Amino acid sequence: MDKTAVNVTEYMQAMGARARAAARHMAAATCGQKNAALLAIAEQLEQSRESLQSANAIDMQQGQQRGLDAPTLDRLELTDDRINAMADGCRQVATLADPIGEVTDLAYRPSGIQVGQMRVPLGVIGIIYESRPNVTVDAAILCIKSGNATILRGGSESINSNKAVAACISRGLEQAGLSADSVQVVETTDRQAVGELITMSEYVDVIVPRGGKSLIERISNESRVPVIKHLDGICHVYIDRDADLEKAINIAFNAKTHRYGVCNAMETLLLHKDIANELLPSLVERYVAHGVELRGCEKTRAIIAMNAATDEDWSTEYLGPILSIKTVDSFDQAVEHIARYSSAHTESIVTESYTRGRSFMRQVDSSSVMINASTRFADGFEYGLGAEIGISTDKLHARGPVGLEGLTSQKYVVFGDGHVRS
Amino acid sequence: MDKTAVNVTEYMQAMGARARAAARHMAAATCGQKNAALLAIAEQLEQSRESLQSANAIDMQQGQQRGLDAPTLDRLELTDDRINAMADGCRQVATLADPIGEVTDLAYRPSGIQVGQMRVPLGVIGIIYESRPNVTVDAAILCIKSGNATILRGGSESINSNKAVAACISRGLEQAGLSADSVQVVETTDRQAVGELITMSEYVDVIVPRGGKSLIERISNESRVPVIKHLDGICHVYIDRDADLEKAINIAFNAKTHRYGVCNAMETLLLHKDIANELLPSLVERYVAHGVELRGCEKTRAIIAMNAATDEDWSTEYLGPILSIKTVDSFDQAVEHIARYSSAHTESIVTESYTRGRSFMRQVDSSSVMINASTRFADGFEYGLGAEIGISTDKLHARGPVGLEGLTSQKYVVFGDGHVRS
């Protein structure tokens, strides 16, 4: 036991040291080299379809033996479509503009120096995720394009698939003349590896955990490295007194039913009392026809029968076909409810009122605040980031969908001509 | 003892809850209100000169009795000039543009929604600093202007001064119709208060520690709240083979001698071997005439006599009239030395070579990278930030001098017209 412990520590420390060294090379890599690597990885994935799928078959078989549930097995499987999607992802990221080296706001100061900011990689990014082999590629290519080195730690059930995917990434990097150490997959399933990864702050600059809320909370609490984290999405739509009712119904329906198990789905609908009578019957009919269970506050249930919402409902991310509905007396009450119960992910107001729309945008403190649009738009691709490593519910560094720019920092650059301070 | 412990916890928790409530009001405050508060605080400080100085006299007397050293007592003293400077600081921050609510990059997406980013306050900022009462004002006014609430914890030796300053700030806030709870000064000198402040993550969004390296390291290690930190400044100037020698001498002299006890002073000078012979005699003469102790590598000492630099010298922030000098064989060796020993604060190259200048700007990974300018320019005012709460040596969130923008975040804003995801 003691021996294993030392070995995992040594294994992770050595991996960290290699990542730190590789990060310097990646920071200096040209856009051309990085794109060449992405295209080479795409080809490697397509050419290795058989070895990827035979490695994946071992994981699938062991997963079935261990009794993994159907959704987990589904996410674990490397189907032909998923391998195609991974390769497409590489090619798509290759088309994105290189954020690294971009200089902004370069301006002359009264002293005569020119000062601007240059975008630079963060360094080494540790990514911890569930047993989804395609995430190995998705995460790796964003780190490559943003000039970072990365250490990837996927769920233990996908270990064989991840090793096979990692081999493709390594070959692609080497073909482009980049260091294979810039993307390393943790090849031990020992849980201690996670503990090492999130505490070796000399080698890792930021941790991005992907997975359930409890995993992310645990990592945030134990990490000695900054974490870009995404907790829950308790998203609200507020239908204002001055809403266009057709838009309101479409948005409220789409925000709940377009997909259930996603963080940007609406979990609570807030209705102004003046339009509740007119709106609720047709809205409820549509939800019920779609199999959505409704739980209402007292005022809502006085208009139309449904289950009662408890205080716990307002704080629950259902991630399923359930919706809580609250009828409010005023705009202010809606904003108060959001301030109290929202997870600060995404909220939307439906209104034609200029004044209340403007107030909502300013007063609601969530990573995405919308007017007359479905919460389902809170997404890196819909926002034009071109890619997404996750959605941050933090306020520091990155907030909302995190694309390439979220994996970078900015340093100041100063151009002088012999200038000294006087 | 136990009873005190409970009291400090309760005291800090109550302060945190008030700060959290005040943060919502501050986020909604108009630019006009915030500026009015800043101007009112300036007046309060000027009108309270006597009470400020009598409170300060108690701290000074107790400090002398406790045997505080002269520099500490100097920083503790509230002279007329310092009170004027605090009031001027308020008026100057009032002239700065309000960062809050600014919307950038608003653009239409293919789906028809418009997406942009709106700048928002971070929320509640905890600031921990030494016994310098003027920092209480400096920190408070940056938090006010950036729409944040703040909890200030200054050194215990300045407790009476801080209370007097806090009273001025409270009156100024109230005159402008803002909540006095938006700036709170911790009025207990119990050290446990710091421990509470850096762990109450439900009430505090970010900690900014100001002070010595060991204090900041301890806070970073123990904090459960993200920390914007500034560790040491081991800054380098590299004089390249193609340097203009007059510029080189001026910059090298200014970077070391303009002020000694500051983080952006040069601690190590790197010289290319091809110009060392020509450069060193006049440079050394100037340093020695100025009372700077020189410590050189072997090659440097072969050219001109001086003390020997040990390996420890390359890792030392002298903060005094000492300079280590290393003669290097190549540009690459200079960059390697910086990568190994720099604290990633500020580095400057002196060169007329376009190619090496360009390489240095890209390859050196420090919060400020300069060409042909003194490291002493690494400063929020010199960079045009208008104010500075500190210099971050982190990469996440804020890097380099931190002004108002570093105390803010951005949320996504989405404008639609009934748009739903399909």
Side-chain angles (χ1 to χ4, degrees):
Chain A
M1 188 65 194
D2 230 26
K3 199 182 157 200
T4 317
V6 170
N7 285 347
V8 173
T9 304
E10 281 175 4
Y11 172 80
M12 292 304 294
Q13 289 280 323
M15 186 173 263
R18 288 195 299 273
R20 178 59 77 211
R24 280 191 65 198
H25 296 289
M26 281 304 285
T30 65
C31 183
Q33 281 178 302
K34 293 185 284 189
N35 288 344
L38 295 171
L39 299 178
I41 293 168
E43 260 186 52
Q44 288 291 337
L45 289 167
E46 287 171 338
Q47 289 169 4
S48 310
R49 201 176 288 269
E50 276 180 37
S51 61
L52 288 170
Q53 290 184 331
S54 57
N56 184 243
I58 301 172
D59 288 334
M60 289 295 289
Q61 199 191 340
Q62 291 180 348
Q64 278 152 352
Q65 284 165 359
R66 282 184 217 169
L68 295 185
D69 60 20
T72 306
L73 285 171
D74 173 58
R75 289 192 291 270
L76 178 57
E77 192 171 8
L78 276 182
T79 61
D80 272 338
D81 277 357
R82 244 173 222 159
I83 292 172
N84 293 341
M86 293 194 297
D88 289 349
C90 296
R91 294 188 176 110
Q92 202 260 328
V93 170
T95 67
L96 299 178
D98 188 344
I100 301 305
E102 183 196 25
V103 175
T104 48
D105 300 326
L106 189 66
Y108 278 93
R109 298 289 312 147
S111 62
I113 60 172
Q114 266 174 299
V115 181
Q117 286 183 286
M118 183 187 283
R119 199 162 284 287
V120 295
L122 286 177
V124 177
I125 298 173
I127 302 178
I128 299 164
Y129 52 102
E130 293 161 316
S131 291
R132 297 175 60 182
N134 56 320
V135 172
T136 306
V137 170
D138 291 351
I141 60 182
L142 291 185
C143 292
I144 291 170
K145 185 76 185 216
S146 55
N148 291 289
T150 184
I151 297 176
L152 302 168
R153 211 286 185 174
S156 56
E157 296 88 354
S158 60
I159 185 73
N160 294 292
S161 314
N162 283 342
K163 285 183 189 173
V165 169
C168 294
I169 296 172
S170 292
R171 289 195 297 271
L173 285 165
E174 281 170 348
Q175 274 178 27
L178 296 176
S179 165
D181 288 341
S182 56
V183 178
Q184 296 179 85
V185 167
V186 176
E187 296 198 348
T188 169
T189 56
D190 192 321
R191 275 170 176 249
Q192 194 199 330
V194 173
E196 298 289 340
L197 183 60
I198 65 178
T199 50
M200 50 189 205
S201 54
E202 70 277 35
Y203 295 131
V204 182
D205 296 294
V206 64
I207 293 286
V208 182
R210 294 174 52 140
K213 190 183 176 186
S214 65
L215 169 82
I216 293 173
E217 276 181 332
R218 197 168 53 78
I219 286 171
S220 308
N221 286 335
E222 294 171 12
S223 184
R224 302 316 305 153
V225 178
V227 176
I228 296 178
K229 66 175 172 294
H230 166 234
L231 295 174
D232 43 2
I234 303 178
C235 303
H236 296 74
V237 172
Y238 166 57
I239 304 180
D240 185 48
R241 194 178 65 191
D242 288 342
D244 175 306
L245 295 192
E246 194 188 329
K247 291 178 191 170
I249 289 174
N250 287 336
I251 289 169
F253 187 72
N254 184 263
K256 180 71 245 180
T257 65
H258 183 253
R259 270 182 76 185
Y260 292 120
V262 290
C263 58
N264 57 14
M266 168 179 63
E267 306 292 14
T268 297
L269 176 65
L270 302 170
L271 292 175
H272 192 280
K273 65 175 166 55
D274 290 358
I275 45 96
N277 270 305
E278 192 179 347
L279 198 65
L280 270 171
S282 48
L283 196 51
V284 166
E285 188 187 324
R286 209 162 154 191
Y287 280 131
V288 170
H290 212 78
V292 177
E293 181 198 333
L294 302 175
R295 301 180 185 175
C297 70
E298 229 169 275
K299 283 180 187 158
T300 307
R301 293 170 70 220
I303 298 168
I304 196 159
M306 61 180 70
N307 292 334
T310 65
D311 205 56
E312 206 192 320
D313 279 295
W314 313 127
S315 315
T316 300
E317 185 181 22
Y318 301 115
L319 294 171
I322 309 174
L323 176 70
S324 56
I325 305 181
K326 186 183 173 85
T327 299
V328 298
D329 294 335
S330 63
F331 172 86
D332 288 344
Q333 202 189 339
V335 169
E336 273 308 313
H337 182 96
I338 289 170
R340 179 158 173 204
Y341 293 106
S342 162
S343 64
H345 188 298
T346 300
E347 331 298 335
S348 183
I349 185 173
V350 186
T351 190
E352 296 299 308
S353 159
Y354 167 80
T355 297
R356 283 192 293 283
R358 190 165 178 257
S359 294
F360 192 87
M361 299 310 273
R362 174 76 188 257
Q363 286 183 40
V364 173
D365 183 28
S366 297
S367 73
S368 288
V369 185
M370 305 183 169
I371 177 165
N372 293 333
S374 168
T375 55
R376 286 283 294 129
F377 280 109
D379 173 283
F381 294 92
E382 292 294 338
Y383 284 2
L385 304 184
E388 183 187 290
I389 198 141
I391 295 183
S392 166
T393 54
D394 285 326
K395 280 181 148 183
L396 233 61
H397 189 65
R399 194 176 194 202
V402 179
L404 292 176
E405 206 172 284
L407 301 178
T408 66
S409 180
Q410 285 180 301
K411 67 183 179 192
Y412 282 95
V413 289
V414 176
F415 298 86
D417 193 25
H419 289 81
V420 296
R421 277 283 289 275
S422 53
Chain B
M1 187 64 195
D2 230 27
K3 197 184 155 196
T4 317
V6 170
N7 285 348
V8 173
T9 303
E10 280 174 6
Y11 173 79
M12 292 304 293
Q13 289 280 323
M15 186 174 264
R18 285 194 301 272
R20 177 60 77 212
R24 280 191 65 198
H25 296 289
M26 283 304 285
T30 66
C31 182
Q33 281 178 303
K34 294 185 284 189
N35 288 345
L38 296 171
L39 299 179
I41 293 168
E43 259 185 53
Q44 287 293 338
L45 290 167
E46 287 171 340
Q47 290 170 3
S48 312
R49 201 177 289 270
E50 276 180 37
S51 61
L52 288 170
Q53 290 184 331
S54 57
N56 185 243
I58 302 172
D59 288 335
M60 289 295 288
Q61 200 191 341
Q62 291 180 348
Q64 278 152 353
Q65 284 165 359
R66 282 185 218 166
L68 295 184
D69 60 20
T72 306
L73 285 171
D74 173 58
R75 288 193 291 270
L76 178 57
E77 193 171 6
L78 275 183
T79 60
D80 273 336
D81 278 356
R82 246 176 221 157
I83 292 172
N84 294 340
M86 292 193 298
D88 289 349
C90 295
R91 295 190 175 106
Q92 202 260 326
V93 169
T95 68
L96 298 179
D98 188 343
I100 301 306
E102 183 196 27
V103 175
T104 48
D105 300 328
L106 188 66
Y108 278 93
R109 298 289 312 147
S111 62
I113 61 172
Q114 266 173 299
V115 181
Q117 287 183 287
M118 184 187 281
R119 198 162 286 286
V120 294
L122 286 176
V124 178
I125 299 175
I127 302 178
I128 300 163
Y129 52 101
E130 293 162 315
S131 292
R132 297 175 60 181
N134 56 319
V135 172
T136 306
V137 170
D138 291 351
I141 60 182
L142 291 185
C143 292
I144 292 170
K145 185 77 185 217
S146 56
N148 291 287
T150 184
I151 297 175
L152 301 168
R153 210 287 185 176
S156 56
E157 297 88 353
S158 59
I159 185 70
N160 293 292
S161 315
N162 283 341
K163 283 183 190 174
V165 169
C168 294
I169 296 172
S170 292
R171 287 195 298 270
L173 285 165
E174 281 172 347
Q175 274 177 28
L178 295 176
S179 165
D181 289 341
S182 56
V183 178
Q184 295 179 85
V185 167
V186 175
E187 296 198 347
T188 169
T189 57
D190 192 322
R191 276 170 176 250
Q192 194 199 330
V194 173
E196 298 289 339
L197 183 60
I198 64 178
T199 50
M200 49 188 203
S201 54
E202 71 278 33
Y203 295 131
V204 182
D205 295 294
V206 64
I207 293 286
V208 182
R210 295 174 53 142
K213 189 182 176 186
S214 64
L215 169 81
I216 293 173
E217 275 180 333
R218 195 167 55 78
I219 286 171
S220 309
N221 286 335
E222 294 171 13
S223 184
R224 303 314 306 153
V225 178
V227 176
I228 297 178
K229 66 174 173 292
H230 166 235
L231 294 173
D232 42 1
I234 302 178
C235 303
H236 296 76
V237 172
Y238 166 56
I239 304 180
D240 185 49
R241 195 179 64 193
D242 289 343
D244 175 305
L245 296 193
E246 196 188 328
K247 292 178 191 171
I249 289 173
N250 287 337
I251 289 170
F253 186 72
N254 183 263
K256 181 71 244 181
T257 66
H258 183 254
R259 269 182 76 185
Y260 292 120
V262 289
C263 59
N264 58 14
M266 167 179 65
E267 306 293 12
T268 297
L269 177 65
L270 302 170
L271 292 175
H272 192 281
K273 65 176 166 53
D274 291 358
I275 46 95
N277 270 307
E278 193 178 347
L279 199 64
L280 270 172
S282 47
L283 197 51
V284 166
E285 189 186 322
R286 209 161 154 192
Y287 280 130
V288 170
H290 212 78
V292 177
E293 181 198 333
L294 303 174
R295 301 178 185 176
C297 70
E298 229 170 274
K299 282 181 186 156
T300 306
R301 295 170 68 219
I303 297 168
I304 197 159
M306 61 180 71
N307 292 335
T310 65
D311 204 56
E312 206 192 318
D313 279 296
W314 313 128
S315 315
T316 300
E317 184 182 22
Y318 301 116
L319 293 171
I322 309 173
L323 176 71
S324 57
I325 305 180
K326 185 183 173 82
T327 299
V328 297
D329 294 335
S330 64
F331 172 87
D332 288 344
Q333 203 189 338
V335 170
E336 274 308 315
H337 181 96
I338 289 169
R340 182 159 171 203
Y341 293 106
S342 162
S343 64
H345 188 298
T346 300
E347 331 296 335
S348 183
I349 184 173
V350 185
T351 191
E352 298 297 311
S353 160
Y354 167 81
T355 297
R356 283 191 293 282
R358 190 165 179 258
S359 294
F360 192 86
M361 299 309 273
R362 174 76 188 256
Q363 284 182 42
V364 173
D365 182 27
S366 297
S367 73
S368 288
V369 186
M370 304 182 170
I371 176 165
N372 293 333
S374 167
T375 54
R376 286 283 293 129
F377 281 109
D379 174 281
F381 293 92
E382 293 293 337
Y383 285 1
L385 305 184
E388 183 187 288
I389 197 139
I391 295 183
S392 166
T393 54
D394 285 326
K395 281 181 148 184
L396 232 60
H397 189 67
R399 195 175 193 205
V402 179
L404 291 177
E405 204 172 285
L407 301 179
T408 67
S409 180
Q410 285 179 303
K411 68 184 178 192
Y412 282 95
V413 289
V414 176
F415 298 85
D417 193 25
H419 288 81
V420 296
R421 277 284 288 275
S422 54

